[in-house]
Every structure is written in C-alpha cells, then in structure tokens.
Amino acid sequence: MKELKQVVGIDVAQKELVVTIGRLLEDLSVDLFSYKVFKNNDKGFLSLVEWVAKLVENPKEVHYVMEATGVYHQKIAYFLDTNQLKVSIVLPNKISNYFRTLEVKTITDKTCSQVIARFGLERKLDLWKRPKTVYKKLQQLTRERDQIVAERVIVKNQLHAEKIEAEPNLMTLKRISERMKLLNKQENEIKNDISQILKNNAELKKETDRMMTIPGIGELTAVIILAETNGFELIRNKKQLTSYAGLDVKEKQSGTSIKGKPKISKKGNRSIRKAMHFPSLVAVKWDENFKELYARLVSKHGIKMKALVSIQRKLLEMSYVLYKNQTIYDKEYKNSVQTQMA
C-alpha cells in the first residue's frame, strides 16, 4: 500500500533520544514500524540518521518531530537542520493534550515517542527554522540576565536576614555584599552587550524602537519578545502568539454541573509571560487608554490580576502588529486598545 507520509517521533531526554518511525498509509491508517534508542550526542545523531536511511525509501522526505524540552532538543534539531532534513518542534502542551485523546494506559519513553510520531503523521506541522544568530545571542543574554536577577533577589534576602541578626557576622556581611556587587556588575555587562548588538544591527534597532512606542514596553522587553519568538518567525496571527506565550485563556465547562473559572493556560514561553508583567503595570498607570481598559475589566469581574493579564496579552499582540505592519503605536487610535478582552 502506498505511503503518504513518514515521520520520526523523538522523545528527547538529557542523555538519550527515544525514537519511533511511523508511516501514514493510503487508507489513512498509521503504522509504527520501528523503535530504537540513541545517545543524545553527535555520535548518536549520526547513528540515528543512518538508521532511518536504512529503513525508509527517501530519507530526505522523512519528517522529524520532537517536543521542545528545555535545551536538550536543540543540538539534535540543529544537527538535522544542518543536514537539510525536515524538522518540527512542538510545544509540550500540544503533545500532552493529544496524548489524552489516545487509549494509552502506560506512559514510558517508548510510548511517548510513539505518540509524537503519530501526532506528526496526523497533523500538518510547520517546519522548524533555526533561530537567526542575532536572536539566539539575545535570547542567551536575556535569559542569563533573568537568572542573575533571580539570584540577586536571593542574595538580597540573605543580606537582609543577616543584618537583622542579634549579632551579625561582619565577614558574612562582607561576602554577601561582594556577591551583590558582582551580580550588579554582571547585569550591567549583559545590558551593555545587548545595547552593542542593537547598535551594530540597524534593522533590529529600528524594530525595537517601533515596539518601544507602546506604553510600558522598554528596550529589554522588546528584545525578549523578539528573541523568544525568533522575530515572530513562525507566528501567523495574534491568537497563535498568545498561545505560544501561554497567555491564552482556557475554560472548563460541561452542562450545568461543571463550570470552572477561566484562566490562562501558562502552557507556553515563560520568559515572555514574565517579561510582560511590569510593562502592563506601567501601561495601566501612565497611558489613559490602557487605564480605561483596565478599569472596565476590573469593574466587570473584580479581579485585578485577571485584568492585568488581559493588558499583558494586549501589549504582546500590539507588539506583533507593529512589527508586522512596520508602524508605531498611536495613542489617539483608541479602538486599538478598547477591544473587550475575553
């Protein structure tokens, strides 16, 4: 029977790749016909490609599908892309939601790779494109800064706790203070590195400047949005962007007996969600349009945080619109921010 599609489903772990090859046949049935485990390193990648080539007729037409698993999937994705093979990277929540629709009672690495392969066979997936070098560098820098800021909060709390001791240890205070100075110095170095990248890339600087016309969006936030989305490379619309960031609203309701409260999924890019918090506070405080929208949302349901999340979603959507249309924010155009948020 004729094969319509062939997919390699890869369940990526820190040290190994659990792989299943499947094919979609002419009668739309799915055949998962081979399984193997490889090391998650260069030697394992080469063995994987050679193994697949022996089992399929046209290796170049095989579609490799994997979950976005932190940083563990990146090396294999880059290797496959370098060898001009088709790659798709799927958000974990999409796989887990699909998993629940199947009659799979046992969850193992093998069954996970089988589910990923089946998902790839049944869905039309966008091909993954490696991040542009400039966005990759910015992503590394912004994530490093985020770690430094988080560490500084811990050190600051330690300093405060030591100071209010009945008998503070002066040497401990000195060491903690030195760590604080080091972290501040490192953060400033990262900010300078980011500024230098923007200075050397006129087009990127122009894009961030456009996004910075939105109330609350500063240079760092604009850079994070562009770096985490690879310049909106695979984003097709606003709905897809909010889902990618985990700011999409999910609601559980069935009949009259089950009615859960709507809430954001949080199944997406945590860095973007975190970056949008302070901009939403600034926008609500200093821009009349967002202030009115925030007040209306709070009066509707009485939940301030829910209203802020709506503002975050709107700011993110506007960043995408300005980027695509190559325009700037016009605060007089009230319809752009007065749309009722779901």
Side-chain angles (χ1 to χ4, degrees):
M1 190 175 294
K2 184 179 177 181
E3 296 177 352
L4 301 178
K5 190 177 183 181
Q6 290 184 319
V7 165
V8 176
I10 307 176
D11 183 56
V12 183
Q14 180 181 359
K15 295 183 179 180
E16 64 182 20
L17 308 172
V18 182
V19 182
T20 294
I21 305 180
R23 54 193 166 205
L24 182 66
L25 302 176
E26 198 170 18
D27 62 356
L28 300 184
S29 63
V30 171
D31 177 28
L32 305 177
F33 62 90
S34 197
Y35 160 82
K36 197 170 182 180
V37 179
F38 299 89
K39 295 291 185 181
N40 191 357
N41 56 34
D42 293 339
K43 187 176 180 181
F45 305 157
L46 186 60
S47 298
L48 165 61
V49 172
E50 291 174 347
W51 175 69
V52 172
K54 293 177 183 177
L55 297 173
V56 301
E57 292 184 6
N58 192 346
K60 288 292 182 182
E61 292 303 314
V62 174
H63 199 148
Y64 292 79
V65 181
M66 66 193 79
E67 284 184 307
T69 52
V71 296
Y72 299 134
H73 70 282
Q74 291 184 359
K75 282 189 176 182
I76 177 63
Y78 272 72
F79 176 86
L80 295 172
D81 182 69
T82 299
N83 286 274
Q84 299 180 329
L85 297 170
K86 297 179 179 179
V87 184
S88 287
I89 299 176
V90 185
L91 290 176
N93 65 307
K94 289 189 176 182
I95 298 296
S96 60
N97 290 337
Y98 176 73
F99 208 126
R100 286 193 287 269
T101 67
L102 304 176
E103 295 181 0
V104 180
K105 297 181 179 179
T106 304
I107 300 177
T108 63
D109 291 339
K110 181 178 181 179
T111 58
C112 285
S113 70
Q114 291 173 338
V115 168
I116 294 171
R118 186 178 290 272
F119 181 86
L121 290 168
E122 295 183 3
R123 306 294 174 88
K124 184 178 180 180
L125 302 176
D126 290 326
L127 293 179
W128 175 80
K129 295 180 181 179
R130 67 170 64 198
K132 295 177 182 177
T133 303
V134 64
Y135 291 132
K136 183 63 177 175
K137 287 181 179 178
L138 288 173
Q139 184 189 65
Q140 291 170 330
L141 288 170
T142 53
R143 289 188 175 186
E144 182 187 359
R145 177 195 168 274
D146 189 53
Q147 292 172 348
I148 287 173
V149 171
E151 184 179 349
R152 188 172 57 195
V153 171
I154 296 173
V155 174
K156 189 175 181 180
N157 290 336
Q158 291 174 342
L159 182 61
H160 174 73
E162 187 64 33
K163 282 182 177 180
I164 63 174
E165 284 271 359
E167 295 180 352
N169 187 309
L170 296 180
M171 291 305 297
T172 299
L173 288 173
K174 180 182 177 182
R175 283 189 290 269
I176 295 176
S177 297
E178 288 174 351
R179 274 165 42 209
M180 282 285 291
K181 290 179 182 178
L182 174 62
L183 293 171
N184 289 333
K185 178 174 177 290
Q186 290 178 336
E187 185 190 13
N188 287 330
E189 288 174 353
I190 291 172
K191 287 181 177 179
N192 290 335
D193 288 345
I194 292 173
S195 296
Q196 191 61 45
I197 290 174
L198 294 179
K199 185 179 179 181
N200 294 337
N201 192 317
E203 187 60 33
L204 181 60
K205 183 69 168 67
K206 193 181 297 182
E207 299 297 350
T208 56
D209 286 345
R210 287 196 191 104
M211 293 170 66
M212 287 166 61
T213 62
I214 301 172
I217 301 291
E219 183 178 88
L220 183 61
T221 303
V223 165
I224 290 173
I225 293 172
L226 289 173
E228 295 294 337
T229 60
N230 191 25
F232 301 108
E233 182 70 44
L234 295 178
I235 303 299
R236 300 288 178 262
N237 50 60
K238 294 186 290 185
K239 184 177 179 181
Q240 189 180 35
L241 176 60
T242 55
S243 178
Y244 175 75
L247 288 171
D248 51 326
V249 178
K250 65 176 185 177
E251 185 174 3
K252 186 176 182 181
Q253 184 172 343
S254 179
T256 58
S257 59
I258 300 176
K259 189 174 182 179
K261 292 181 179 179
K263 55 184 179 180
I264 61 171
S265 69
K266 292 188 179 180
K267 300 286 187 178
N269 190 294
R270 178 178 174 273
S271 296
I272 294 179
R273 290 200 308 278
K274 190 173 182 180
M276 300 310 298
H277 178 65
F278 284 113
S280 67
L281 295 175
V282 174
V284 166
K285 184 175 181 180
W286 297 106
D287 186 89
E288 288 301 320
N289 291 329
F290 286 101
K291 188 181 294 185
E292 291 175 15
L293 175 58
Y294 175 76
R296 189 167 70 252
L297 291 170
V298 172
S299 65
K300 179 182 176 182
H301 46 64
I303 306 173
K304 293 182 179 180
M305 184 53 70
K306 185 177 178 181
L308 273 179
V309 170
S310 295
I311 299 297
Q312 292 169 26
R313 186 162 58 244
K314 176 57 69 177
L315 289 172
L316 183 60
E317 290 174 350
M318 289 183 68
S319 299
Y320 170 72
V321 171
L322 297 191
Y323 181 88
K324 287 298 181 182
N325 295 340
Q326 296 190 343
T327 186
I328 62 174
Y329 171 71
D330 180 6
K331 65 179 180 180
E332 299 303 323
Y333 187 58
K334 293 189 177 182
N335 289 334
S336 65
V337 293
Q338 288 185 341
T339 302
Q340 190 84 6
M341 300 302 296

